[in-house]
Amino acid sequence: MIFEICVRGCVFLGQRFLVALLSLSLFTTSAWTQSADLPKRTLQEVLLGFVSQAVPVQSIPGNQIVLSRSFRALADAGVFPNLIDGNKDFENRISISEKIPAKDPLADPSKAAALVDTLSKLRDDVQFGNKALDSSDAAVLAAAKLLLYANTQDTPTEAYKSYLSYSDQYKTQVTQLQQETNPATRVSIQNRISQLERDWELFGMRNEIEAALQQISDLEPASSAPLFNEWLTLLNKTDPSENIATIRDALSNSDWIRVSASSGDLGALKLTLKLDGGSFDLPQISRVSFDVTVGIMPHAFLNHPFLTNTRWRTRSGLVLSDGNVVTDDPSEILPRVASGFVIVKNLDITLSSAADRSALVSLGRSRAASLSSLTIKSKGSPEPAYQLRSISVSGPILLAITIDELAKLPNPAVGLNWEE
């Protein structure tokens, strides 16, 4: 069986680019075995299986609190409306990203706890600890301070000044990106951010400075509380409009991965065309092609160093995550997060024989339409195109979300003296 992946460029992921897929070519395999946890019964699940091959989830940049990442099909997968900004129905549809996903992918997402409300439970529950430094710890702390400060902690070194300058520029560009709505201007800002990040690492000693900051945070007495306050400030600034911004960024990206699968990989896939006036069984599918990208949400409060600081715990015994991805413990309040959106466009479906002409005529007249569970036509969405042996949906289509299983948080160091 031949599964074809044509890579045009790279996939935009939040504010970083995935370029590891440029060498993919034709290969013999079965898409059915790549995502064994998803039964391949619907078009949505079949597409997601192919996406798992085209965009391996572990190749998508994450952060140090992520243990593993997976794709999860959406129950209401389907086309976007033409105008997503200010569209309350669409905002409600993607609000799943603002909730904590259940372990069971079939659980009702409307009953999930709100992410920000859950994290706010830490506000009066965090306890800080200090550690008596041995000679090795003292040497590490001294070296970290030497990199950051010239004489006192009020006088940054030239290296730290350069780092802070890049940090300020980065924050300015990110703020502009969040406020900008023009697609072309957003792409320009995204390119500036990518270049700025490269320069920051090369000339601003980003990795070295941040390592030193983390060492000071871990070893310096009373340095954890300010981090916690910074984190709470970020949490309070969380804006649901970031979801729309993430999707807008993904849509404006010019580089998508083109995926094509022929009949051998489709497993005799047959679909039902569901319309206002009834349902029609379609002939077997002989080929499916589509473009795919993944938009990763920034979630600044999940990238903050407070979470990885090793000198805090909760008084109540609650944890964000215990680091066990197999089962959930009652003490966990954040074992996983929804981190991004899987988006498809230019979906082309070729049938092995002619469809019922009346079914296609009804498709043109119907106000809503779906292929099995995948909505291809709804109020305000682009019209699908069709011939007797083909159906095309220019899209875009919200297909799935990415789920991140989190590492152990908090993960306090041993031998700490805990404050009352």
Side-chain angles (χ1 to χ4, degrees):
M1 291 182 287
I2 301 297
F3 174 52
E4 303 172 12
I5 299 179
C6 173
V7 181
R8 296 178 179 175
C10 56
V11 181
F12 182 70
L13 302 172
Q15 294 165 356
R16 294 181 181 272
F17 289 87
L18 176 62
V19 295
L21 302 173
L22 295 179
S23 62
L24 290 177
S25 59
L26 294 180
F27 59 93
T28 302
T29 186
S30 171
W32 302 79
T33 62
Q34 295 298 311
S35 186
D37 56 320
L38 290 174
K40 300 302 181 291
R41 297 171 183 161
T42 69
L43 176 61
Q44 180 191 11
E45 292 164 343
V46 169
L47 296 181
L48 194 53
F50 296 146
V51 169
S52 298
Q53 289 194 28
V55 190
V57 288
Q58 301 309 325
S59 67
I60 301 173
N63 58 51
Q64 58 184 318
I65 70 170
V66 177
L67 279 182
S68 63
R69 176 171 282 166
S70 61
F71 294 134
R72 180 173 293 186
L74 288 172
D76 58 350
V79 288
F80 288 13
N82 281 316
L83 185 61
I84 61 175
D85 290 275
N87 189 314
K88 295 301 181 183
D89 289 339
F90 187 72
E91 289 177 2
N92 290 336
R93 185 174 157 197
I94 62 174
S95 64
I96 185 174
S97 62
E98 301 163 28
K99 297 184 177 182
I100 300 173
K103 180 68 177 175
D104 181 4
L106 300 179
D108 184 355
S110 67
K111 297 180 180 179
L115 176 60
V116 172
D117 290 347
T118 297
L119 289 176
S120 295
K121 294 178 180 179
L122 295 181
R123 187 178 305 276
D124 300 316
D125 194 25
V126 168
Q127 184 180 32
F128 302 105
N130 291 317
K131 179 181 180 182
L133 303 185
D134 58 24
S135 58
S136 176
D137 292 332
V140 170
L141 179 59
K145 289 184 176 181
L146 187 63
L147 178 60
L148 269 58
Y149 303 107
N151 298 308
T152 68
Q153 292 200 7
D154 296 327
T155 308
T157 61
E158 292 302 316
Y160 194 23
K161 288 180 182 178
S162 177
Y163 171 91
L164 293 173
S165 175
Y166 279 109
S167 177
D168 289 341
Q169 294 176 59
Y170 178 83
K171 291 175 183 177
T172 298
Q173 293 297 321
V174 169
T175 299
Q176 291 180 5
L177 182 64
Q178 292 171 341
Q179 297 172 347
E180 183 59 58
T181 58
N182 182 276
T185 305
R186 289 182 64 82
V187 170
S188 177
I189 296 173
Q190 291 161 4
N191 290 337
R192 290 201 297 270
I193 289 174
S194 296
Q195 183 60 54
L196 182 60
E197 288 188 307
R198 289 191 290 269
D199 291 345
W200 193 358
E201 291 185 3
L202 287 174
F203 309 116
M205 298 184 65
R206 181 178 185 179
N207 295 331
E208 295 87 345
I209 296 293
E210 290 182 352
L213 289 170
Q214 185 66 54
Q215 288 166 343
I216 292 174
S217 172
D218 289 341
L219 297 173
E220 179 99 299
S223 63
S224 300
L227 275 181
F228 179 52
N229 292 330
E230 288 180 8
W231 179 79
L232 284 176
T233 299
L234 278 178
L235 189 64
N236 292 334
K237 290 182 177 179
T238 301
D239 187 349
S241 66
E242 291 179 353
N243 296 333
I244 294 292
T246 297
I247 290 176
R248 193 191 301 119
D249 289 342
L251 294 178
S252 63
N253 173 38
S254 59
D255 295 307
W256 293 56
I257 292 179
R258 184 69 178 174
V259 178
S260 297
S262 55
S263 57
D265 279 311
L266 296 173
L269 177 65
K270 295 183 68 176
L271 302 175
T272 298
L273 179 62
K274 299 179 180 179
L275 308 171
D276 291 340
S279 300
F280 302 85
D281 290 332
L282 296 177
Q284 183 173 321
I285 309 302
S286 63
R287 189 172 186 83
V288 170
S289 300
F290 60 92
D291 298 318
V292 61
T293 192
V294 179
I296 296 297
M297 292 174 284
H299 279 331
F301 57 89
L302 291 178
N303 291 285
H304 194 271
F306 163 70
L307 293 182
T308 54
N309 183 276
T310 59
R311 291 192 2 223
W312 70 275
R313 67 182 183 183
T314 63
R315 292 183 173 87
S316 65
L318 291 176
V319 297
L320 300 186
S321 171
D322 64 6
N324 181 357
V325 301
V326 179
T327 60
D328 287 353
D329 188 271
S331 65
E332 295 180 279
I333 61 174
L334 188 69
R336 66 191 61 81
V337 295
S339 60
F341 301 102
V342 180
I343 303 170
V344 165
K345 68 178 182 179
N346 299 326
L347 172 62
D348 298 319
I349 297 173
T350 303
L351 307 176
S352 59
S353 59
D356 185 336
R357 183 180 182 85
S358 63
L360 298 177
V361 171
S362 298
L363 172 59
R365 295 173 177 171
S366 182
R367 291 173 298 177
S370 63
L371 289 173
S372 295
S373 62
L374 184 68
T375 301
I376 62 170
K377 182 180 181 180
S378 62
K379 181 181 179 181
S381 70
E383 289 282 333
Y386 51 87
Q387 297 295 332
L388 288 177
R389 296 184 59 169
S390 67
I391 297 176
S392 298
V393 183
S394 60
I397 295 170
L398 184 60
L399 185 69
I401 56 174
T402 57
I403 301 292
D404 289 353
E405 299 283 346
L406 301 186
K408 184 179 180 181
L409 297 171
N411 190 15
V414 297
L416 296 180
N417 299 314
W418 296 99
E419 63 181 27
E420 294 300 325

